[in-house]
Amino acid sequence: MSTQYSHLSNFERCRLFEWYHYQKKSIREVGRLLNRSHSTISRELKRNKYDYYVPTYYPHPAQMYYEVRVRERAKRVKLKSVEAQRYVTDKLKLGWSPEIIAGRIKFDKTLPSVSYEAIYQYIYKNEPSLIVYLARQHKNVRKNIQPVNENSLGRKI
């Protein structure tokens, strides 16, 4: 039997606060009542402590923290190190695919390991000029990217 993870809702956070703090139920008991794993409840309590007077869990700040984390995770930059970006750019220009680059970068101990999917996301989001070096240039993805060189009439040069 496989379980599927889903984030806690605001309602579940309110019930967690009520049962854990006011009714003094254990983490395992709260997990059973919410039909969640006890480790999910434990992580929620640790991750979302709010320093009001005493560091404790409150549902509304926990929901705000969750919403901020969801917004911020989309903004994270792939290939954080400049050396990794340079390595990927150089190898793409040599004709290497992102899959090959990701496989070979593991052997270079000075660079952080990176997946081929992170390389694709980096190219499409941060360096669209590198799309031309991909074997398949994914025309559907390129439709959303503006041409780099345009004259005043809007035509490609």
Side-chain angles (χ1 to χ4, degrees):
M1 178 176 114
S2 74
T3 58
Q4 185 158 349
Y5 177 78
S6 62
H7 296 278
L8 292 175
S9 67
N10 194 28
F11 176 78
E12 289 173 314
R13 286 186 173 95
C14 291
R15 296 291 75 83
L16 166 62
F17 177 70
E18 179 183 326
W19 290 331
Y20 185 71
H21 286 289
Y22 291 130
Q23 296 180 12
K24 304 295 184 198
K25 294 185 186 291
S26 70
I27 290 175
R28 287 182 183 269
E29 194 172 354
V30 171
R32 278 192 292 275
L33 289 169
L34 290 175
N35 198 21
R36 299 288 189 150
S37 169
H38 63 90
S39 60
T40 299
I41 304 302
S42 176
R43 279 193 305 269
E44 175 72 15
L45 292 170
K46 287 179 189 173
R47 182 185 299 137
N48 294 311
K49 282 192 177 174
Y50 181 71
D51 289 330
Y52 188 51
Y53 288 111
V54 176
T56 191
Y57 178 86
Y58 294 102
H60 299 297
Q63 182 69 22
M64 289 188 314
Y65 292 155
Y66 163 72
E67 291 168 0
V68 167
R69 281 194 302 272
V70 167
R71 275 194 309 268
E72 294 298 317
R73 73 177 175 210
K75 295 179 185 176
R76 280 187 241 149
V77 178
K78 303 294 180 184
L79 302 179
K80 293 178 184 168
S81 76
V82 177
E83 295 82 15
Q85 292 173 6
R86 194 173 302 125
Y87 182 85
V88 167
T89 303
D90 293 344
K91 299 307 179 188
L92 277 172
K93 290 180 180 178
L94 290 174
W96 291 22
S97 70
E99 291 82 1
I100 294 172
I101 295 170
R104 297 295 298 174
I105 204 168
K106 292 175 187 174
F107 296 113
D108 189 346
K109 301 296 182 194
T110 61
L111 297 173
S113 181
V114 63
S115 70
Y116 69 89
E117 184 60 34
I119 295 172
Y120 277 114
Q121 289 178 10
Y122 169 74
I123 292 168
Y124 288 125
K125 188 174 180 183
N126 299 72
E127 292 292 334
S129 61
L130 296 175
I131 292 175
V132 297
Y133 296 106
L134 297 175
R136 293 182 59 205
Q137 296 174 9
H138 300 282
K139 293 175 183 158
N140 290 338
V141 177
R142 279 194 298 154
K143 286 179 186 175
N144 299 330
I145 299 171
Q146 296 295 323
V148 177
N149 296 325
E150 292 186 5
N151 62 12
S152 60
L153 298 175
R155 295 186 187 133
K156 292 183 184 177
I157 298 177

